[in-house]
């Protein structure tokens, strides 16, 4: 029964590398290598201030590959939290897959295991929850549990042409494309504002 009473919780799921911070082909192996994208932390804070809870769903196969350990992962998260606090924002939880592709887990995106974990942890139906990422697998993982897909043209998608971005988005029906996380936040909050205004007009 609790599931229904908590379902009103406003939740946004973000990818990390390439969406919130600069991506690296050689993995982010230290806190020093973690660099936020312009406007990304402010976007999280804006969502928070509007009542949205923000969680991360991130593949971190560098753990499984032995490129860094949990202490490093925690140090990166501590840096993220510290910088975000300065902006008045927060990340409510981090869900990550430490496995390498050959491990056969169900939590490595594009599989939806992380998103199922999020739904269970927060007691929410993931249908309609926005998922924001820079790659096809982010969108596929979220869409598998009914999330609303949003692609940002940063990270991996920054390397794509307009046609390639449209082709990628077409693989996950309903995908909305944004320049970056700040553009997503502006779009999402404006949409919420319009929905409230429409509901008020009907009332």
């Amino acid at each position: 029964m609790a599931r229904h009473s908590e379902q009103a919780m406003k939740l946004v799921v973000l990818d990390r590398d390439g969406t919130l911070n600069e991506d690296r082909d050689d993995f982010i192996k230290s806190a020093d290598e973690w660099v936020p994208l312009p406007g990304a932390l402010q976007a999280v804070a804006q969502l928070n201030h509007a009542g949205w809870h923000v969680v991360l769903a991130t593949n971190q196969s560098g753990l499984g590959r032995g490129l860094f350990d949990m202490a490093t992962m925690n140090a990166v998260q501590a840096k993220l939290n510290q910088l975000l606090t300065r902006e008045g924002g927060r990340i409510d939880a981090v869900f990550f897959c430490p496995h390498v592709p050959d491990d056969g887990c169900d939590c490595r995106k594009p599989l939806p295991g992380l998103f199922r974990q999020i739904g269970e942890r927060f007691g929410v139906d993931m249908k309609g929850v926005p998922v924001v990422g820079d790659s096809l697998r982010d969108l596929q993982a979220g869409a598998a549990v009914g999330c609303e897909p949003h692609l940002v043209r940063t990270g991996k998608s920054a390397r794509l042409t307009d046609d390639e971005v449209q082709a990628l988005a077409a693989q996950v029906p309903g995908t909305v494309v944004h320049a970056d996380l700040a553009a997503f936040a502006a779009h999402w909050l404006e949409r919420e504002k319009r929905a409230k205004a429409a509901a008020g007009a009907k009332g």
Side-chain angles (χ1 to χ4, degrees):
M1 292 295 103
R3 174 175 293 269
H4 294 289
S5 64
E6 295 173 28
Q7 205 157 343
M9 177 181 178
K10 302 199 301 184
L11 192 65
V12 176
V13 181
L14 304 182
D15 171 51
R16 196 189 81 177
D17 303 334
T19 300
L20 193 57
N21 55 276
E22 294 179 3
D23 200 6
R24 293 174 63 104
D25 290 333
D26 60 345
F27 297 89
I28 292 167
K29 303 174 294 300
S30 71
D32 287 343
E33 292 181 351
W34 191 89
V35 179
L37 287 165
L41 299 181
Q42 293 84 350
V44 172
Q46 287 175 342
L47 290 166
N48 292 157
H49 295 162
W52 290 87
H53 296 265
V54 178
V55 302
L56 301 184
T58 174
N59 286 352
Q60 292 296 326
S61 68
L63 282 166
R65 299 173 198 271
L67 298 176
F68 55 86
D69 57 17
M70 272 308 300
T72 301
M73 179 92 174
N74 290 336
V76 168
Q77 190 59 36
K79 179 179 179 180
L80 190 171
N81 291 341
Q82 182 181 31
L83 295 177
L84 200 46
T85 297
R86 292 180 193 170
E87 302 294 337
R90 71 185 183 282
I91 297 294
D92 282 61
V94 180
F95 295 79
F96 65 93
C97 170
H99 305 109
V100 297
D102 292 340
D103 283 343
C105 67
D106 71 346
C107 54
R108 181 175 168 81
K109 296 182 288 185
L111 295 176
L114 291 179
F115 289 81
R116 292 202 179 101
Q117 290 175 30
I118 292 168
E120 289 167 8
R121 167 84 69 86
F122 290 98
V124 299
D125 182 348
M126 297 298 286
K127 186 174 176 60
V129 170
V131 55
V132 188
D134 67 315
S135 70
L136 178 61
R137 65 188 180 191
D138 299 321
L139 310 184
Q140 291 172 324
V145 294
C147 288
E148 182 177 315
H150 292 263
L151 179 72
V152 285
R153 295 196 64 173
T154 51
K156 293 178 177 60
S157 289
R159 310 168 191 172
L160 304 180
T161 65
D162 290 349
D163 287 344
E164 288 170 335
V165 166
Q166 291 306 317
L168 187 160
Q171 294 182 61
V172 184
T175 294
V176 183
V177 180
H178 310 274
D180 54 20
L181 190 56
F184 160 78
H187 162 86
W188 191 253
L189 295 177
E190 177 62 25
R191 197 173 96 172
E192 183 184 36
K193 181 179 171 183
R194 288 179 183 172
K196 284 181 178 176
K202 287 181 181 177

